[in-house]
Amino acid sequence: MSTLVSGSTTRGGRRPSLPSWDRVPAAVRWAAYLLLFVVALWLPSVPGIANVMSPQNDWGGVLVYPIGLYIVMALGLNVVVGYAGLLDLGYVAFFAIGAYTVGVLTTKYDWSFWPALVVGVVLSMAAGLLLGTPTLRLRGDYLAIVTLGFGEIIRVTANNTDWLGGPRGISQIPRPPNVGDTLEFGALKAKAYWYVIVVLIVLIILIAKRLEDSRVGRAWAAIREDEDAAELMGVPTLKFKLAAFFIGAGIAGSGGAVFASRQTAIVPDNFPFVLSALILAAVVLGGSGNIPGVILGAFLIAWLPERFRQFVEWRQLFFGAALVLIMIFRPEGLLPNRQRRAEMQEGTGGMGSLGAEVGPVAVQNVEVDE
Amino acid sequence: MRNVQRGASVFAVLAALSLGVTACGGSSASDDSGSAPAGSSAASGGTGGGGSSVNIGFMGALTGPNAQLGINIKQGAEVAINAYNASNPAVKITLKDYDTAGDPAQATSLAPKVASDKVVGVIGPAFSGESKTAVPTLEEAGIPNISASATNATLSANGWKFWHRVLANDDVQGPGVAGFITGPLGAKKVAVIDDQSEYGKGLADVVAKTIGSAASPRDSIDPKADDYSSTVSKIKSANPDAIFYGGYYAEAAKFVKQLRDGGVTAKFVSGDGTLDQKFIDGGKDAAEGAFLSCTCVLATASDDPAVQKFIDDYTKAYGTGPATYSAEGFDAATAFIKALQAGKTSPADINTFLSTEDFKGISKPIKWDDKGELTSGSVYMHEVKDGKIIALGDYKTAKPQ
């Protein structure tokens, strides 16, 4: 996949030999999915994998956080950015709300983890609606600024609220109850968390995929392409934008809930702006709007810095350089969404119509492709 | 609709299968990363003789914004370990680094690695935040750990059996530094400022509570901002005799500079987070005359031969004198070395041995109670004089120079 591809090759020039995935019989497709699922579950215990993937750190632990939870968050943000084209820079706020909900309910009210997780998801969704209702009338850069502010508001509020522990955060968050002897949740037993995350990811993919192929997904695509045209054609844009926002928020909330229980102690500093930026980078880098791409992007964003631990102070530099290189050679992402690539070639900067057209840059790439 | 049903049924199958898979996979419990039963095979087969060695881990920030403190601890520990290894002991020590960058989230995933590396003891975790997230793992793995710098008071209330620290906590430091401000320093009115961090706010709260009504104004600065003028003008109009700042050296340097530029002449007092040469490098002349408290003891020229030897060895090895927490790092390493010298090589035995230890460390007497706190912690004051930090001794008797 490392072939140098300029931004204006014709479509289909990349993988001519493979038949389109949509045309493969359903049985074969589901068998492949099942195989993937089993492989994913097997990942932490593949013999010898730890030394290859994470020689400097605990592979099971790294799989859960950052890798697993970054994937969860990236899938959620993909609904917001990839499908509906809403640039959200405060996404970590919903992750924080999920984490804090579980923290508060389990430590202050003695709830068990699972019901707390559900409430965490619901509260994150509510926060998504709360933020979305007044702000989703904005577009592009303006929406980005508002969401950025929201992300900071949540963190600073948590930092200044004594009831939430202030800067000390919440500690001694209980782990989920063990399921028999096979699923033990413990500090050294990261595997059970990984299984929970894999199941969560499967659920999220199912939901996102069904939505994408439905009327809702088409409405999102229309909004992404041209909001005014969509509105004129009778798509109730605000309603669908809100839907994208609160589905994305709920997904982040579920990730945050697992995070809180895994860490057993959370502080406001766990939820900095840079995390929002990283997740957005994961989505764009992997291929906005394309689920396998987003998963790959999140994996790289999470795994590269861990893998290069031995370079100590240089690792962030390598990481940044790798991101820059990938974006230069694959501006539409590593595994782009076909529709998105077409958009790129039409020259809307690859973010759909975020209301912020990348004017001169886009014009360079315009090619009438008939 | 049929599609939805098909998807749902497939998912149900997947879910059922996943449980099945985990049921099969989980039956061999030993494939869990690092679930080595504590104290069984964890020590690398010490068959006696000069060939065996054990791993001791250092866990803390070696990169990131507060890396200096982690490096100080590690170098202090290395001085002790290198001297021990050079004495040709039966069991040598290999020091392994676990760099958390001071980030609690990274500490969580690093801690299991410590367990799977068959480490028999950990010097660290360095900071309070990462202790909260990493120690439960070390506890579960049964690995004794000694922190050389985590001072958060609540840490010892968790019922941890394998956790220790070689300095007193913030509940001791706060009243101590408050006693110094109102006692030897003779301040009547004290402004108490913090940086909203877990450590800074915690310490400032205790100081303010101890001083009582004389503590005003009580305010916070935003560590990410560069301009503290609103706080400075608040302090200037209140005209206190002293200012206590809870926070780390980088902001403290900026803050003290702006205070002096704003014409505030009150004495500047801060805690162990500020006790670093970098505070003076950043604050320049404004840092002159500042008082810094610590439950640690900064090793400065001493008539105690053990301390002097430590300073000489440290300076020879690293080209600079010992800094904040270096002496504590040395003492933490010494505690493990004493256990090894007594022939204890499994984590459980070492932990049992730690609870019986009672020796004169180079920073202070080391003896732990059942919670892992020192039985004899005190607060020691330091002053910035001629661009250097000098030790003034115990807070009750410290004389401002």
Side-chain angles (χ1 to χ4, degrees), chain A residues 9 63 87 325 352 355:
Chain A
T9 42
L63 258 183
L87 188 53
L325 284 174

Side-chain angles (χ1 to χ4, degrees), chain B residues 45-324:
Chain B
T47 49
S52 74
S53 76
V54 293
N55 291 331
I56 299 266
F58 167 78
M59 198 167 180
L62 294 171
T63 55
N66 294 311
Q68 193 54 49
L69 295 172
I71 294 167
N72 294 345
I73 298 166
K74 184 179 165 238
Q75 291 181 342
E78 271 176 350
V79 169
I81 289 171
N82 293 343
Y84 167 78
N85 283 343
S87 70
N88 206 5
V91 184
K92 280 206 157 91
I93 294 179
T94 317
L95 187 66
K96 290 179 91 94
D97 291 351
Y98 297 94
D99 175 19
T100 61
D103 173 7
Q106 287 195 36
T108 312
S109 61
L110 266 176
K113 178 74 178 161
V114 177
S116 61
D117 281 353
K118 308 270 186 280
V119 164
V120 300
V122 173
I123 297 164
F127 300 151
S128 300
E130 61 198 22
S131 298
K132 272 192 201 169
T133 59
V135 175
T137 310
L138 300 175
E139 188 71 14
E140 209 171 292
I143 300 172
N145 51 98
I146 306 174
S147 178
S149 53
T151 54
N152 185 308
T154 56
L155 289 176
S156 54
N158 290 316
W160 291 330
K161 299 259 172 299
F162 291 84
W163 172 90
H164 313 74
R165 61 175 148 207
V166 286
L167 70 178
N169 67 38
D170 288 338
D171 279 357
V172 176
Q173 179 169 205
V177 70
F180 171 80
I181 293 171
T182 51
L185 207 59
K188 299 275 176 293
K189 191 170 176 195
V190 188
V192 180
I193 315 294
D194 68 59
D195 69 344
Q196 300 175 322
S197 74
E198 173 169 357
Y199 153 79
K201 185 166 182 297
L203 185 59
D205 281 345
V206 178
V207 170
K209 209 171 98 200
T210 315
I211 294 175
S213 61
S216 91
R218 176 78 180 84
D219 202 7
S220 296
I221 58 166
D222 177 2
K224 292 184 182 63
D226 278 335
D227 179 23
Y228 310 136
S229 53
S230 68
T231 308
V232 170
S233 59
K234 216 184 261 185
I235 292 172
K236 191 165 168 62
S237 61
N239 197 17
D241 307 319
I243 300 154
F244 177 80
Y245 173 74
Y248 295 102
Y249 57 78
E251 291 78 34
K254 282 190 285 191
F255 184 45
V256 76
K257 239 185 143 112
Q258 294 185 25
L259 281 169
R260 299 297 179 239
D261 290 350
V264 178
T265 53
K267 297 265 192 300
F268 186 83
V269 187
S270 188
D272 50 346
T274 305
L275 183 64
D276 193 286
Q277 190 63 34
K278 285 203 169 62
F279 166 64
I280 303 167
D281 297 344
K284 304 247 170 11
D285 296 346
E288 189 66 23
F291 296 97
L292 309 171
S293 73
C294 189
T295 55
C296 61
V297 180
L298 208 55
T300 48
S302 159
D303 41 29
D304 180 339
V307 179
Q308 197 51 51
K309 180 175 185 314
F310 167 69
I311 297 174
D312 295 343
D313 289 351
Y314 192 101
T315 315
K316 202 165 87 196
Y318 305 108
T320 56
T324 313

